[in-house]
Protein backbone atom coordinates (compact mmCIF):
# COMPACT_ATOMS: atom_id res chain seq x y z
CA UNK A 1 0.00 0.00 0.00
CA UNK A 2 2.75 2.47 0.92
CA UNK A 3 4.79 1.79 -2.25
CA UNK A 4 1.70 2.22 -4.42
CA UNK A 5 0.75 5.44 -2.61
CA UNK A 6 4.26 6.88 -3.08
CA UNK A 7 4.23 6.04 -6.78
CA UNK A 8 0.82 7.65 -7.21
CA UNK A 9 1.97 10.77 -5.33
CA UNK A 10 4.92 11.09 -7.74
CA UNK A 11 2.65 10.48 -10.73
CA UNK A 12 0.32 13.24 -9.49
CA UNK A 13 3.05 15.80 -10.15
CA UNK A 14 2.88 14.98 -13.85
CA UNK A 15 -0.87 14.55 -14.16
CA UNK A 16 -3.27 17.24 -15.30
CA UNK A 17 -4.21 19.52 -12.42
CA UNK A 18 -7.77 19.45 -13.72
CA UNK A 19 -8.40 15.69 -13.74
CA UNK A 20 -5.40 14.16 -11.91
CA UNK A 21 -5.78 11.30 -14.38
CA UNK A 22 -3.31 8.45 -14.00
CA UNK A 23 -3.20 5.17 -15.90
CA UNK A 24 -2.67 1.91 -14.08
CA UNK A 25 -1.37 -0.72 -16.48
CA UNK A 26 -1.98 -3.91 -14.58
CA UNK A 27 0.04 -6.77 -15.98
CA UNK A 28 3.22 -8.66 -15.20
CA UNK A 29 5.16 -5.39 -14.75
CA UNK A 30 2.48 -3.47 -12.75
CA UNK A 31 2.98 0.02 -14.17
CA UNK A 32 1.68 3.36 -12.92
CA UNK A 33 1.66 6.06 -15.60
CA UNK A 34 0.62 9.70 -15.45
CA UNK A 35 0.34 11.97 -18.43
CA UNK A 36 -0.58 15.62 -18.78
CA UNK A 37 -1.98 15.96 -22.28
CA UNK A 38 -2.01 19.78 -22.12
CA UNK A 39 1.70 20.17 -21.43
CA UNK A 40 3.06 16.88 -22.79
CA UNK A 41 4.52 15.73 -19.47
CA UNK A 42 4.75 12.00 -18.78
CA UNK A 43 5.77 9.89 -15.78
CA UNK A 44 6.03 6.13 -15.48
CA UNK A 45 7.11 3.81 -12.67
CA UNK A 46 6.76 0.18 -11.72
CA UNK A 47 5.15 -1.09 -8.53
CA UNK A 48 5.70 -4.68 -7.48
CA UNK A 49 2.75 -6.90 -6.75
CA UNK A 50 0.87 -9.92 -7.96
CA UNK A 51 -1.64 -9.88 -10.74
CA UNK A 52 -4.16 -12.46 -11.92
CA UNK A 53 -6.15 -12.20 -15.12
CA UNK A 54 -5.81 -10.47 -18.46
CA UNK A 55 -3.70 -7.31 -18.71
CA UNK A 56 -5.74 -4.14 -18.29
CA UNK A 57 -5.19 -0.37 -18.54
CA UNK A 58 -7.49 1.62 -16.30
CA UNK A 59 -7.60 5.33 -15.51
CA UNK A 60 -8.27 6.81 -12.08
CA UNK A 61 -8.31 10.21 -10.44
CA UNK A 62 -5.05 9.99 -8.48
CA UNK A 63 -6.28 12.23 -5.65
CA UNK A 64 -9.30 10.00 -5.00
CA UNK A 65 -7.17 6.85 -5.12
CA UNK A 66 -4.67 8.38 -2.68
CA UNK A 67 -7.47 9.27 -0.27
CA UNK A 68 -8.57 5.64 -0.24
CA UNK A 69 -5.02 4.32 0.22
CA UNK A 70 -4.31 6.74 3.06
CA UNK A 71 -7.47 5.80 4.95
CA UNK A 72 -7.38 2.03 4.71
CA UNK A 73 -5.99 -0.43 7.20
CA UNK A 74 -3.37 -3.02 6.40
CA UNK A 75 -0.53 -3.09 3.94
CA UNK A 76 -2.06 -5.03 1.07
CA UNK A 77 -4.23 -3.51 -1.64
CA UNK A 78 -6.58 -5.70 -3.65
CA UNK A 79 -8.28 -4.29 -6.75
CA UNK A 80 -11.21 -6.26 -8.12
CA UNK A 81 -12.81 -5.30 -11.43
CA UNK A 82 -13.95 -6.83 -14.68
CA UNK A 83 -13.30 -4.23 -17.38
CA UNK A 84 -11.57 -0.83 -17.66
CA UNK A 85 -14.89 1.04 -17.78
CA UNK A 86 -16.42 -0.51 -14.65
CA UNK A 87 -15.79 0.49 -11.05
CA UNK A 88 -12.98 -1.06 -9.05
CA UNK A 89 -13.63 -2.58 -5.65
CA UNK A 90 -10.64 -1.95 -3.40
CA UNK A 91 -10.11 -4.31 -0.45
CA UNK A 92 -13.80 -5.26 -0.55
CA UNK A 93 -14.75 -1.90 1.08
CA UNK A 94 -14.17 0.94 -1.37
CA UNK A 95 -15.64 1.63 -4.79
CA UNK A 96 -13.65 3.81 -7.19
CA UNK A 97 -15.03 4.65 -10.61
CA UNK A 98 -12.54 4.87 -13.47
CA UNK A 99 -11.84 7.84 -15.72
CA UNK A 100 -12.00 7.22 -19.46
CA UNK A 101 -8.56 6.93 -21.00
CA UNK A 102 -7.67 8.34 -24.41
CA UNK A 103 -5.87 5.53 -26.16
Amino acid sequence: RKDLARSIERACRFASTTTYLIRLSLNATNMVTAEDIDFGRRFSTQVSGTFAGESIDIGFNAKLLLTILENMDGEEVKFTFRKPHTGAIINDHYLLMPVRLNQ
Side-chain angles (χ1 to χ4, degrees), residues 15-34:
S16 165
T17 56
T18 304
T19 64
Y20 291 102
L21 173 65
I22 61 166
R23 175 190 312 256
L24 295 182
S25 297
L26 302 174
N27 52 43
T29 58
N30 298 304
M31 298 285 290
V32 176
T33 303

Side-chain angles (χ1 to χ4, degrees), residues 43-99:
F43 171 83
S44 182
T45 187
Q46 291 184 348
V47 179
S48 63
T50 58
F51 178 76
E54 294 182 30
S55 296
I56 191 169
D57 284 347
I58 190 165
F60 290 116
N61 177 307
K63 294 285 188 176
L64 295 176
L65 182 53
L66 277 173
T67 299
I68 291 171
L69 294 174
E70 291 168 354
N71 289 293
M72 65 182 359
D73 296 327
E75 289 304 312
E76 290 196 13
V77 180
K78 177 184 171 187
F79 288 86
T80 306
F81 46 87
R82 295 178 189 236
K83 296 179 183 177
H85 58 276
T86 60
I89 305 293
I90 303 172
N91 285 17
D92 298 326
H93 296 291
Y94 303 93
L95 172 65
L96 184 60
M97 296 305 292
V99 178

Side-chain angles (χ1 to χ4, degrees), residues 14-17 35-42:
F14 293 87
S16 165
T17 56
E35 190 170 343
D36 185 342
I37 307 288
D38 298 331
F39 295 103
R41 299 180 298 191
R42 184 174 174 85

